């Protein structure tokens, strides 16, 4: 009886073990199947065949070769253009090479994985048309950028003014021109604003004129004043003789005879020349008997008899 009971228990344990094992295997297969389906492992395995891995390795090698070639071409182009072209032209050329390289790399990678580029080009054409309507301003700026470069109206380092914004040109791009103001703020000016508005380039020519307006009293001897101010150019070391300086009476003002002192200097000496002219005019006005009128204020003290006497005064 004991042997039969032990045999029954052993059979029961074996049965439970087999059922548990089958259940675990079933659950494991189910989890594995669901995980593979969720993560698309079967589809991913198709891409990791020996042939695909060979394509990927060859593609990476080709990308490295393209990158090295791109760096060499960019360096040689920059070195050659810097000798024959202006800095902003060199900058735009290097940007064009960079964008072209990135587009070619993307096309190569897509083709490497068997993606149909003709379908992409068709979709890109439709998307480009839609984006073109939605981004007319950007397209206008790109087209205007071509005219900005072709006109050669400005270059890097120029002192310009557009629409009230004044500063030094730091960057000439496809969409905009970036400048920094004299208080060191960056200002982005759209290319369309430059083409459609008024551009003032203070650095375009090598020389620049300094104009100083001087008012003299109506009681002054006009000949002596004119003779005195003729000495201003010789008192300013940065003033150049060609073009010739001009000093003349300009208009009748409300309280003065208005004169203009016009001298020329190199562009880099503009501020120094302006200071020198100012100092020379003030010095001559003190040495020569002519007066530069200025507003005066007369102060009248009321009820002076009620004020206490000042120190040392007797009542």
């Amino acid at each position: 009886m004991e042997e039969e009971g032990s045999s029954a228990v052993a059979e029961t344990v074996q049965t439970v073990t087999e059922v548990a094992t089958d259940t675990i295997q079933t659950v494991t297969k189910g989890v594995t199947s669901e995980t593979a389906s969720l993560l698309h492992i079967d589809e991913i395995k198709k891409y990791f065949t020996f042939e695909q891995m060979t394509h990927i390795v060859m593609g990476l090698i080709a990308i490295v070769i393209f990158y090295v070639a791109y760096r060499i071409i960019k360096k040689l182009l920059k070195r050659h253009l810097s000798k024959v072209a202006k800095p902003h032209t060199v900058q735009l050329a290097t940007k064009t090479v960079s964008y072209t390289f990135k587009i070619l790399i993307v096309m190569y990678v897509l083709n490497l994985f068997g993606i149909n580029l003709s379908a992409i080009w068709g979709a890109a054409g439709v998307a480009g048309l839609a984006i073109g309507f939605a981004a007319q301003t950007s397209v206008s700026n790109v087209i205007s950028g071509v005219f900005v470069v072709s006109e050669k109206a400005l270059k890097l380092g120029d002192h310009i003014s557009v629409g009230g914004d004044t500063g030094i040109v730091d960057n000439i791009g496809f969409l905009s021109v970036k400048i920094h103001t004299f208080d060191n703020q960056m200002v982005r000016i759209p290319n369309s604003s430059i083409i459609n508005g008024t551009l003032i380039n203070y650095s375009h020519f090598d020389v620049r004129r300094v104009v100083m307006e001087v008012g003299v009293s109506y009681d002054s001897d006009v000949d002596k004043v004119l003779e005195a101010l003729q000495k201003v150019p010789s008192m300013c070391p940065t003033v150049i003789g060609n073009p010739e300086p001009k000093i003349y009476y300009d208009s009748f003002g409300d309280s003065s005879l208005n004169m203009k002192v016009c001298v020329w200097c190199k562009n880099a000496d503009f501020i120094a020349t302006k200071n020198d002219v100012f100092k020379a005019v003030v010095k001559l006005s003190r040495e020569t008997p002519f007066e530069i009128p200025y507003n005066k204020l007369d102060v009248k003290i009321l009820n002076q008899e009620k004020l206490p006497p000042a120190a040392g005064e007797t009542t």
Side-chain angles (χ1 to χ4, degrees):
M1 293 293 292
E2 293 180 357
E3 291 180 358
E4 291 179 358
S6 299
S7 176
V9 171
E11 290 178 357
T12 302
V13 171
Q14 183 178 0
T15 301
V16 171
T17 302
E18 291 177 353
V19 171
T21 301
D22 292 340
T23 302
I24 292 172
Q25 290 177 351
T26 302
V27 171
T28 302
K29 288 181 180 179
V31 171
T32 303
S33 176
E34 290 297 329
T35 303
S37 176
L38 180 64
L39 300 178
H40 302 282
I41 293 177
D42 294 335
E43 289 80 359
I44 294 175
K45 286 181 179 180
K46 295 179 182 179
Y47 290 100
F48 284 92
T49 62
F50 177 77
E51 183 180 357
Q52 289 293 341
M53 293 301 294
T54 303
H55 282 310
I56 292 174
V57 172
M58 294 300 294
L60 292 175
I61 294 174
I63 290 174
V64 172
I65 295 174
F66 288 157
Y67 179 76
V68 173
Y70 153 72
R71 296 291 296 182
I72 294 174
I73 293 172
K74 183 178 178 181
K75 186 175 182 180
L76 293 176
L77 180 66
K78 188 174 182 180
R79 181 185 301 175
H80 175 72
L81 287 179
S82 60
K83 298 178 181 177
V84 297
K86 295 182 178 180
H88 66 273
T89 304
V90 177
Q91 188 181 65
L92 288 177
T94 54
K95 284 184 179 181
T96 302
V97 172
S98 178
Y99 293 148
T100 303
F101 166 76
K102 292 175 182 177
I103 293 173
L104 291 177
I105 286 297
V106 171
M107 292 175 59
Y108 175 78
V109 172
L110 293 176
N111 185 61
L112 182 66
F113 287 96
I115 299 175
N116 189 0
L117 295 180
S118 60
I120 293 179
W121 283 120
V126 176
L129 185 62
I131 293 173
F133 283 109
Q136 296 182 22
T137 302
S138 297
V139 174
S140 174
N141 285 328
V142 171
I143 297 174
S144 298
V146 175
F147 288 106
V148 169
V149 175
S150 61
E151 280 188 342
K152 300 179 180 179
L154 54 88
K155 62 181 184 298
L156 297 180
D158 279 356
H159 173 199
I160 68 169
S161 178
V162 180
D165 295 315
T166 302
I168 306 299
V169 178
D170 292 327
N171 179 275
I172 302 175
F174 290 104
L175 295 175
S176 63
V177 171
K178 294 184 179 67
I179 67 174
H180 72 269
T181 61
F182 292 108
D183 54 354
N184 206 31
Q185 295 182 356
M186 191 277 285
V187 178
R188 177 183 177 273
I189 304 175
N191 288 331
S192 58
S193 298
I194 296 177
I195 293 298
N196 298 327
T198 301
L199 166 68
I200 301 175
N201 190 342
Y202 299 103
S203 305
H204 187 74
F205 298 104
D206 295 332
V207 296
R208 186 174 174 184
R209 192 174 73 161
V210 177
V211 179
M212 179 73 68
E213 294 185 358
V214 181
V216 299
S217 172
Y218 276 99
D219 296 331
S220 303
D221 188 325
V222 291
D223 292 327
K224 289 184 177 180
V225 173
L226 187 60
E227 181 181 355
L229 292 181
Q230 295 285 352
K231 301 176 184 177
V232 170
S234 62
M235 298 172 66
C236 305
T238 54
V239 169
I240 59 178
N242 187 20
E244 183 181 355
K246 300 291 183 182
I247 293 92
Y248 57 90
Y249 285 98
D250 184 57
S251 63
F252 293 98
D254 293 335
S255 58
S256 65
L257 293 170
N258 297 325
M259 304 185 65
K260 283 191 176 180
V261 178
C262 307
V263 297
W264 293 82
C265 65
K266 294 181 179 179
N267 222 316
D269 298 330
F270 178 77
I271 298 298
T273 304
K274 195 169 184 177
N275 286 334
D276 289 342
V277 171
F278 183 87
K279 291 186 292 184
V281 170
V282 173
K283 185 176 180 180
L284 288 170
S285 70
R286 293 171 179 173
E287 294 177 351
T288 308
F290 73 85
E291 178 187 2
I292 299 178
Y294 58 91
N295 293 331
K296 300 180 178 68
L297 180 64
D298 292 332
V299 178
K300 183 177 181 180
I301 301 177
L302 301 178
N303 298 327
Q304 187 173 8
E305 65 279 0
K306 296 182 180 181
L307 297 176
E313 292 184 358
T314 59
T315 58

